[in-house]
Amino acid sequence: MPVRFSACFLMFCVGLLVWETAYAQATPEWLARLFPHVGQPGRLANRLARREAKEININGQSGGMVTLEFLYPELDGRVATGRARVFVPPVVREDPGRRVPLVHVAGYEIGEQGAIGLMAQGYAVSTPHAHPLNPLGRGVKLDLAILHAVRQLSFVDPLRVGIQGGSAGGWMALMLGADAFPLTYVMADVPPIHWGYNAAYVHDNRPVAAPLPERTEPRMPVLWAVSGIAEQSRSTYGMPFDSPTYLALSPLAHLETITAPTLAVFSTADVLIPIDQVSPSLVRPLDPGKMPPGFRSTLSQRFPGIGGKRTLLDVLPRDRYALFVVPPGTNPTRVDPRAPLRGPGMPLSLPFSTDRSWSIVVLDEGPMEADVGHLKYHWAVDHEPFRRWAEARGVTAEQLTATKLQRLMKRLRGEPWRPMQIRPGGTGEPVPAHLLDFPEAERADVLLGLLAFASDDGRAVHLARLYARLPRRLQVLGRNLGDGTGTGVRQALQRHMDSVQARETELQRGSTGNEKSRMTSCAGSAR
């Protein structure tokens, strides 16, 4: 038996060596240099472990697509393994020392073809990869960890990070926008704003959307197709839709810390994301003949709010947003949910404000109808003017508010901004949810962002002033940030970052020593 075990173990090692050699040869050298780690992912150093890598042709130049594994803490504290993809633009291959802007495509995975357009403009792109659950069903933790890890990459400019997503991905973009700092912009198309209400709406209207007993066609085909998302979400959190947990899961509860320029798009006819959660003034009266009996979308007082307020335009201060209501053009083309889109849509360069942090665009498509999904008409929506404006504007001092800084300091302390409870498995007593990343990853991400923000003297002085006014318990970095000058602030932040990195290096050394000890022990056992 020992001889047979040793022979099998040797064959396994040889096979592993052959596979690693072949894989190393298949990975382009420049991508292997950017993502050198292929072993077990760490919690900060070596957090992104390369699993696949290939080059992509971008207008005759070579970009890269890298598939990565990483560790992150789930809501119940378990350490899970996630997957992500990072797309690297050709400019990084040509100039390895170059830092480029990052677009995180949140929630839903962006494919290779979708990423190519952004890479051609010089953007790196990150996105979750191959997760089986809908973003609203799995929650924020996976994307949160991806963004923390990718912002640390050597070729990513931490001062030029944008987040975008649609539907559940739009919800994810807003939730990440509340956590991350600094950001160039957030773009969210048709995002749920009050997820408790929206989940209950989907769940409660499931019988209405279902086929009648004598028919096979659902009465509301698109709503019927997505109705399982509410159950995914309830399975993840184990709490009722009208509980405070679902308010904590909603952008509505985080609006005060979404301070980057934000462009959000909605439709009055959206059957999946009812406009009721944006404002009752935008609700268009239903045509009873075009909706099944029993359909309801009213946002009632059953659901908790913020100071009794439950809609986006009620909670968001009036001086923080500009509202644009856009009617369709003449003879608009209806979207058929059962057929692919054909022909050009109605062109729409999305309007936006240059002096308000939120630009809210509402496509006035009339009332909901049974066969509508997100949109009733075929639009060719252009976000690029907003993206270009936000990039040219860059990060301004006003993005760091007193409230946003408090949230960042709470992250350093290991405190969630909106604590909530979950019931794992749906049974037993509720327990506090684990809402943050690994402590070392949280510290590194906050300090990276503050250092990037403080690279400009004016912003650094603004940071020092806000920091000095914080409650003492939130002055996690000491009583003051240096001497209050730009240089002093940067030096103080760098000392804290050096401390995080030194601790991580020490932990890595200890881990390596433990690993060597385990390998020696295994070798002795094999002998």
Side-chain angles (χ1 to χ4, degrees):
M1 181 66 74
V3 173
R4 189 178 299 122
F5 173 80
S6 297
C8 292
F9 182 74
L10 180 61
M11 290 173 64
F12 169 78
C13 291
V14 170
L16 186 61
L17 179 62
V18 169
W19 181 87
E20 287 182 340
T21 302
Y23 177 66
Q25 291 173 346
T27 301
E29 184 276 334
W30 68 282
L31 290 175
R33 186 175 63 249
L34 293 173
F35 298 90
H37 185 62
V38 295
Q40 175 70 11
R43 296 186 176 211
L44 179 57
N46 296 327
R47 189 171 192 185
L48 297 173
R50 189 180 81 244
R51 295 297 179 247
E52 296 179 49
K54 72 170 189 176
E55 291 187 330
I56 300 175
N57 185 296
I58 312 289
N59 299 327
Q61 297 179 298
S62 293
M65 180 179 77
V66 185
T67 304
L68 303 149
E69 281 189 349
F70 60 95
L71 303 178
Y72 69 100
E74 271 289 11
L75 285 165
D76 58 4
R78 290 179 302 108
V79 176
T81 300
R83 303 193 89 198
R85 275 190 170 152
V86 173
F87 297 86
V88 187
V91 66
V92 177
R93 182 179 184 274
E94 298 159 7
D95 182 1
R98 180 82 167 268
R99 285 183 174 260
V100 297
L102 171 72
V103 175
H104 180 70
V105 180
Y108 293 114
E109 179 174 0
I110 190 172
E112 183 177 327
Q113 291 304 310
I116 282 175
L118 290 167
M119 295 166 71
Q121 299 178 60
Y123 293 100
V125 181
S126 58
T127 192
H129 175 56
H131 196 285
L133 294 182
N134 181 278
L136 285 161
R138 70 173 184 254
V140 175
K141 299 298 294 290
L142 179 82
D143 278 75
L144 191 78
I146 294 171
L147 191 55
H148 289 173
V150 173
R151 276 164 47 102
Q152 300 285 336
L153 291 171
S154 62
F155 58 87
V156 169
D157 184 346
L159 202 57
R160 299 178 65 194
V161 176
I163 307 174
Q164 66 183 57
S167 190
W171 166 85
M172 186 75 77
L174 293 177
M175 294 297 284
L176 294 178
D179 178 84
F181 177 83
L183 292 172
T184 316
Y185 58 83
V186 177
M187 296 194 300
D189 291 344
V190 292
I193 295 297
H194 194 310
W195 178 226
Y197 153 75
N198 209 142
Y201 159 85
V202 171
H203 176 269
D204 294 349
N205 280 300
R206 180 179 168 84
V208 178
L212 292 170
E214 67 277 11
R215 302 176 68 94
T216 58
E217 183 71 15
R219 288 174 289 176
M220 301 181 71
V222 185
L223 184 61
W224 174 253
V226 305
S227 58
I229 296 174
E231 285 308 313
Q232 282 184 15
S233 185
R234 185 153 61 180
S235 176
T236 296
Y237 304 109
M239 301 292 283
F241 297 134
D242 55 1
S243 71
T245 289
Y246 272 82
L247 180 62
L249 292 166
S250 302
L252 188 76
H254 300 267
L255 296 178
E256 59 190 341
T257 58
I258 306 175
T259 57
T262 300
L263 176 62
V265 183
F266 302 91
S267 165
T268 60
D270 194 337
V271 167
L272 307 182
I273 313 296
I275 199 70
D276 305 58
Q277 60 198 299
V278 179
S279 173
S281 66
L282 296 166
V283 176
R284 304 302 181 239
L286 297 176
D287 180 343
K290 294 185 178 181
M291 297 298 285
F295 174 82
R296 297 287 184 274
S297 68
T298 304
L299 174 52
S300 70
Q301 294 186 1
R302 161 191 171 192
F303 300 98
I306 303 300
K309 300 175 181 179
R310 295 171 180 81
T311 67
L312 176 62
L313 298 192
D314 278 341
V315 174
L316 200 59
R318 187 64 189 87
D319 62 356
R320 288 193 60 202
Y321 73 87
L323 176 65
F324 304 90
V325 180
V326 181
T330 56
N331 300 317
T333 302
R334 281 188 68 106
V335 173
D336 182 350
R338 293 167 292 269
L341 294 173
R342 298 183 183 277
M346 292 179 290
L348 175 61
S349 179
L350 290 171
F352 60 90
S353 172
T354 59
D355 58 4
R356 305 285 176 94
S357 59
W358 278 69
S359 297
I360 301 169
V361 180
V362 176
L363 307 179
D364 192 348
E365 300 186 303
M368 295 180 179
E369 296 179 20
D371 63 346
V372 172
H374 284 305
L375 299 176
K376 186 183 293 185
Y377 301 121
H378 182 17
W379 300 81
V381 174
D382 185 5
H383 301 78
E384 291 308 307
F386 173 76
R387 193 198 307 274
R388 289 193 295 270
W389 167 80
E391 286 277 5
R393 180 177 189 253
V395 172
T396 63
E398 292 73 28
Q399 188 176 143
L400 184 64
T401 64
T403 306
K404 186 73 175 186
L405 185 57
Q406 288 177 23
R407 180 165 187 156
L408 295 173
M409 293 301 105
K410 283 194 170 189
R411 287 176 58 193
L412 288 179
R413 285 178 56 88
E415 297 179 15
W417 185 248
R418 287 275 181 186
M420 69 182 204
Q421 293 191 315
I422 59 173
R423 188 182 286 115
T427 60
E429 291 298 315
V431 297
H434 190 291
L435 295 174
L436 298 177
D437 199 353
F438 296 126
E440 54 269 48
E442 289 283 357
R443 288 192 291 267
D445 184 72
V446 170
L447 290 169
L448 178 75
L450 290 175
L451 272 166
F453 182 79
S455 60
D456 169 83
D457 281 351
R459 294 194 302 255
V461 171
H462 175 69
L463 165 60
R465 288 171 179 165
L466 289 181
Y467 185 85
R469 299 171 191 159
L470 286 173
R472 183 70 185 92
R473 65 177 294 271
L474 293 180
Q475 290 178 330
V476 186
L477 302 175
R479 190 66 185 90
N480 297 291
L481 284 179
D483 59 6
T485 66
T487 299
V489 169
R490 288 188 289 273
Q491 289 175 342
L493 292 172
Q494 189 62 57
R495 283 195 297 272
H496 287 285
M497 179 64 93
D498 291 343
S499 176
V500 169
Q501 292 171 342
R503 176 174 171 76
E504 182 66 14
T505 299
E506 190 62 32
L507 288 172
Q508 286 295 309
R509 286 174 181 162
S511 175
T512 302
N514 291 337
E515 184 63 27
K516 287 179 179 177
S517 175
R518 285 196 296 270
M519 290 296 289
T520 302
S521 175
C522 289
S525 299
R527 286 194 295 269

